[in-house]
Amino acid sequence: MAELEFRDAVRDALDEELARDEAVVFFGEDVARPGGVFAVTGGLQERHGSMRVFDTPISELAIAGAAFGAAISGLRPVIEIMFGDFLFLAMDSLANQAAKYWFVSREQASVPLVVRSAVGAGGRFGAIHSQMPVPWFQGIPGLKIVAPSTPRDAKALLKAAIRDENPVLFLEHKRLYALKGEPGDDGEVAQLGRANVVRTGSDLTIVSAMKGVHDVLAAAEQLATEGIDAEVVDLRTLRPLDRDTVLESVRRTNRLMVVEEGPRTGGWAGGVLADVTEDALEYLDDAWRLTTADAPIPYSPPLEDAFLPSAESIVASVHEHLNTRPVNSSA
Amino acid sequence: MSGTDRIVAEAAELVRTEGTALLERMLLIRRFEDAVQRLFQRGEVHGTTHLYSGQEAGAVGVCAALRPGDRAAGTYRGHGHALALGVDPQGLMDELLGRDTGVCGGRAGSMNVVDLEHGLVGCFGIVGGSIAAVTGVALAFQRRGIEHVAVAFFGEGTSNQAYFAECLNFAQVLRLPAVFVCENNRYMEFTPIEEVTAGDIVARAEALGVWTRTVDGMDVQAVHAGASEAVAHARAGEGPAFLQTLTYRFVGHSRSDPGAYRKPGELDEMRRRDPLAVERARLIEAGTADESELDELEGRVARRIDEVVERALAAPFPSADAGMREYKESGAA
Ligand SMILES: Cc1ncc(C[n+]2csc(CCOP(=O)(O)OP(=O)(O)O)c2C)c(N)n1
């Protein structure tokens, strides 16, 4: 079967959900006629019409506000906030209104809206077009955060997000858009809140999400050649977290490493560590995280490369914690 | 002579005595942007860039109306704003190449350049960010009793941002010494502005009682005259001014844009109104300079940019360890 590209997976999910449910609408800046700045959403307006797929002004407050109001009034809006960094402008409608409405209205209306946003560093976009917005939303009950790592998951999880009755933040890592991979079964819909064990191993569990999963898998291959057998967990949904899958794995491997692209302070990796230490302390020999520094993301290539977790830095960190040595190290 | 007439006459006098200075600034920006484009294609400039080619008269005309100590904020399309303010082309080019010698040591890149020494509050990567920052800069000038003005550059698409409505009202109510320069190049990214904008943009400012003016943004002297009035208004403590420059960009919105949305013939028509050509013809007609002098000027600017590129390519990259240590030890939060 032909491989599926991540950006096409996102588009296909939108396409299929727009076709399946009349209530689904999609809007954002330059998404319809130009097809999006990351070339993800081309052709959707032609197929579904400009009543359902349309371009907006540069008005993040209005886009998010309108999505909230529409979601409680019979539509299932999907919006694009072009870069995750621009979510700050859309914050009130998402965090204060959409996330709380089901609760404060005593369940009079759910808020089925999806916010798609391109996130993450490594593209030399600098401090204000590269951030990972997860921590800003992590502490807000009432919304979900979905963070796929593969084309197949991107499609199946976006379809699930659109069908979910809660507001969902759907994160697309910029450095995954060109990734190709196995497509899923036709019409596959994933379940939100479920992690996947994407590599089995017995020496330690490494948990990550999005681009990080690929770095961790590459690191695990390297570690395997050095006699260290890592299990890799792809979280796929960052809120709610699939604690059970992580705990089950750690109970077997007794070691937990969490790799997060994002600042150490306030990050989701700290939450995973806290959950596991609370619930499985007696199983743990070691638990730690590899994150980015508590600093804004630099532009200059050598600075940005050193800033981000990589397969090499993951391997080095594992050796440090296991008191082992890299095979080809002269140290 | 009315106050306005006097300001315009003074502006004309300044342009005359400055001779070819405005043309030279515009040339510097054009050649700089050409070089950035080439370097981008060679993989030396990273991420994305938004070029100012075609819009040079805007920043140059406005900044020529400023005094030392005034401040301005540009956008992600900010190389022109920076160079018009007098930012060193070498420091700017080094920054775009991510070098240690860049104005921000390679930390910022094209979309976030800051150079306070030259009055550049920043090149704001967030649409509307320049408007917000300048509102505060003007507030500080006013409350500290300093007779300076603060200028915000932004595109017409930015008039649909909440910042636009909130800050214009805020500035007008507080009578802040701010000049809002709306550079109307007809497109927000790939979408014609009229498709996403209701009514007239200048009318939005007028509705708030803000002083407004629209000028030909392809003519540096027209911009300079309009900007001189706007700046005088703000400096006199009469509140903010809103200046719309009608302009056009000759290149894509950003590096990956072929410009498929342009109306047929539009680019050619606007290229005939190239602000560099307009000003060159005027200088020759006025007898300020002759063809050969201006050719010589063009050659000089081109050589200067060649040198800038050469030095930038030879400049060192920052050290990751040292950069992070410096940041931490500087008292960073
Ligand atoms: C808050 C925010 N939303 C969206 C963007 C993405 N973006 C960058 S430039 C741009 C278009 C701006 O158009 P305009 O204001 O007309 O300025 P121009 O680029 O034409 O100079 C958009 C939407 C952004 N940088 N910031």
Side-chain angles (χ1 to χ4, degrees):
Chain A
M1 202 186 277
E3 293 212 305
L4 180 64
E5 190 167 317
F6 194 97
R7 57 160 55 79
D8 295 335
V10 172
R11 191 209 44 220
D12 289 353
L14 284 166
D15 190 26
E16 290 176 20
E17 293 306 299
L18 281 159
R20 189 188 63 85
D21 184 349
E22 289 258 291
V24 177
V25 294
F26 172 55
F27 53 98
E29 295 164 18
D30 278 340
V31 297
R33 205 134 55 95
V37 296
F38 293 101
V40 173
T41 53
L44 293 175
Q45 186 178 53
E46 283 87 331
R47 271 202 291 291
H48 303 284
S50 54
M51 285 295 282
R52 299 183 59 210
V53 177
F54 55 94
D55 293 313
T56 68
I58 317 175
S59 306
E60 283 80 9
L61 272 81
I63 295 168
F68 159 63
I72 58 171
S73 309
L75 292 183
R76 305 184 79 85
V78 180
I79 59 173
E80 175 176 306
I81 298 292
M82 191 184 293
F83 282 77
D85 313 71
F86 310 162
L87 284 164
F88 278 121
L89 288 90
M91 215 60 181
D92 174 60
S93 284
L94 302 180
N96 283 333
Q97 315 305 334
K100 311 218 180 348
Y101 198 76
W102 180 245
F103 176 78
V104 297
S105 71
R106 201 169 184 194
E107 293 132 42
Q108 291 176 51
S110 59
V111 189
L113 82 86
V114 175
V115 185
R116 292 182 43 242
S117 199
V119 300
R124 321 302 187 206
F125 287 107
I128 308 172
H129 282 72
S130 306
Q131 295 171 87
M132 199 51 90
V134 180
W136 320 334
F137 291 94
Q138 190 89 35
I140 298 175
L143 47 81
K144 297 184 178 179
I145 307 173
V146 176
S149 71
T150 65
R152 175 179 178 173
D153 267 0
K155 182 171 175 191
L157 285 166
L158 181 52
K159 289 173 71 99
I162 294 171
R163 296 182 195 192
D164 201 276
E165 290 303 320
N166 298 282
V168 179
L169 179 62
F170 187 85
L171 304 177
E172 300 166 17
H173 199 296
K174 293 180 207 90
R175 281 192 297 164
L176 294 179
Y177 275 134
L179 180 78
K180 293 199 171 92
E182 296 264 300
D185 300 331
D186 273 354
E188 185 176 63
V189 181
Q191 201 175 339
L192 303 186
R194 285 275 176 86
N196 269 350
V197 175
V198 291
R199 186 184 196 285
T200 53
S202 54
D203 292 333
L204 80 158
T205 300
I206 312 182
V207 173
S208 195
M210 294 179 273
K211 168 74 169 66
V213 172
H214 300 275
D215 297 333
V216 170
L217 283 171
E221 288 307 308
Q222 171 64 27
L223 290 167
T225 67
E226 302 176 6
I228 297 169
D229 191 16
E231 177 145 313
V232 180
V233 177
D234 177 355
L235 285 175
R236 300 162 85 227
T237 300
L238 294 172
R239 179 188 177 89
L241 269 175
D242 182 358
R243 278 191 194 84
D244 293 344
T245 297
V246 178
L247 284 168
E248 191 280 324
S249 174
V250 171
R251 286 194 186 104
R252 280 185 288 104
T253 64
N254 309 118
R255 287 192 189 89
L256 172 65
M257 175 188 194
V258 188
V259 178
E260 174 180 2
E261 181 188 324
R264 189 176 180 82
T265 303
W268 55 262
V272 175
L273 288 187
D275 281 348
V276 172
T277 34
E278 273 181 356
D279 291 351
L281 185 61
E282 65 276 27
Y283 292 92
L284 279 179
D285 290 334
D286 199 356
W288 77 99
R289 62 199 141 142
L290 183 69
T291 65
T292 60
D294 278 335
I297 299 157
Y299 161 74
S300 181
L303 297 186
E304 189 178 39
D305 289 344
F307 188 81
L308 292 173
S310 63
E312 296 74 52
S313 66
I314 295 164
V315 168
S317 173
V318 169
H319 282 305
E320 197 184 310
H321 277 265
L322 271 59
N323 274 319
T324 48
R325 281 213 178 136
V327 163
N328 53 3
S329 153
S330 51
Chain B
M1 226 196 268
S2 77
T4 304
D5 288 345
R6 202 186 58 247
I7 289 161
V8 174
E10 278 171 15
E13 174 66 11
L14 179 71
V15 168
R16 208 180 50 73
T17 52
E18 285 203 340
T20 56
L22 297 183
L23 177 62
E24 182 170 351
R25 245 321 123 80
M26 292 197 291
L27 273 167
L28 183 78
I29 296 171
R30 178 71 56 86
R31 294 288 92 82
F32 186 93
E33 296 293 56
D34 290 347
V36 172
Q37 177 82 356
R38 281 197 308 277
L39 289 166
F40 196 94
Q41 276 151 5
R42 281 173 51 184
E44 294 285 352
V45 173
H46 313 274
T48 186
T49 52
H50 308 76
L51 304 181
Y52 200 61
S53 310
Q55 303 188 199
E56 294 87 348
V60 171
V62 169
C63 292
L66 299 180
R67 291 183 192 154
D70 291 342
R71 286 185 163 187
T75 65
Y76 45 84
R77 196 181 304 295
H79 313 155
H81 304 136
L83 294 172
L85 280 167
V87 172
D88 175 23
Q90 190 68 58
L92 186 60
M93 189 63 85
D94 291 5
E95 184 64 33
L96 302 190
L97 268 63
R99 307 302 165 118
D100 201 25
T101 43
V103 274
C104 301
R107 289 183 189 175
S110 177
M111 288 194 283
N112 306 299
V113 176
V114 175
D115 186 1
L116 287 171
E117 192 191 325
H118 291 98
L120 180 65
V121 175
C123 294
F124 288 82
I126 292 291
V127 161
S130 59
I131 296 177
V134 150
T135 301
V137 174
L139 178 70
F141 286 156
Q142 184 195 57
R143 299 294 146 117
R144 293 172 61 208
I146 306 172
E147 278 198 2
H148 280 310
V149 300
V151 177
F153 292 99
F154 53 94
E156 79 296 334
T158 307
S159 63
N160 294 319
Q161 261 285 356
Y163 274 137
F164 178 91
E166 295 190 19
C167 292
L168 256 65
N169 181 62
F170 193 97
Q172 176 70 1
V173 162
L174 298 176
R175 291 276 182 272
L176 300 182
V179 178
F180 298 105
V181 180
C182 177
E183 301 184 273
N184 188 341
N185 66 9
R186 305 185 190 180
Y187 297 93
M188 66 152 275
E189 287 187 347
F190 323 123
T191 300
I193 190 62
E194 60 276 10
E195 287 180 19
V196 285
T197 310
D200 177 55
I201 294 169
V202 177
R204 296 180 182 185
E206 276 165 2
L208 299 170
V210 174
W211 182 101
T212 67
R213 202 62 94 236
T214 293
V215 293
D216 177 1
M218 307 302 274
D219 178 348
V220 72
Q221 304 219 17
V223 174
H224 184 249
S228 298
E229 277 190 81
V231 167
H233 177 89
R235 212 185 295 282
E238 291 171 38
F242 184 93
L243 183 70
Q244 176 178 236
T245 63
L246 300 175
T247 183
Y248 200 74
R249 68 173 148 69
F250 292 166
V251 293
H253 165 74
S254 59
R255 44 106 200 222
S256 53
D257 164 26
Y261 46 80
R262 293 187 200 272
K263 297 180 180 69
E266 190 179 68
L267 180 58
D268 289 338
E269 180 205 320
M270 293 310 286
R271 274 193 186 283
R272 282 195 290 277
R273 294 177 49 203
D274 186 329
L276 276 59
V278 169
E279 181 63 2
R280 186 183 159 109
R282 178 183 289 133
L283 291 172
I284 289 170
E285 192 172 330
T288 311
D290 62 24
E291 296 272 359
S292 68
E293 283 167 336
L294 294 182
D295 288 347
E296 205 270 321
L297 174 69
E298 294 197 7
R300 204 165 62 231
V301 171
R303 280 192 301 281
R304 175 153 184 226
I305 294 297
D306 286 347
E307 271 171 40
V308 162
V309 170
E310 206 172 305
R311 284 214 198 97
L313 285 169
F317 280 102
S319 133
D321 290 348
M324 211 41 89
R325 213 178 318 116
E326 180 195 314
Y327 174 71
K328 288 280 169 215
E329 287 169 2
S330 66

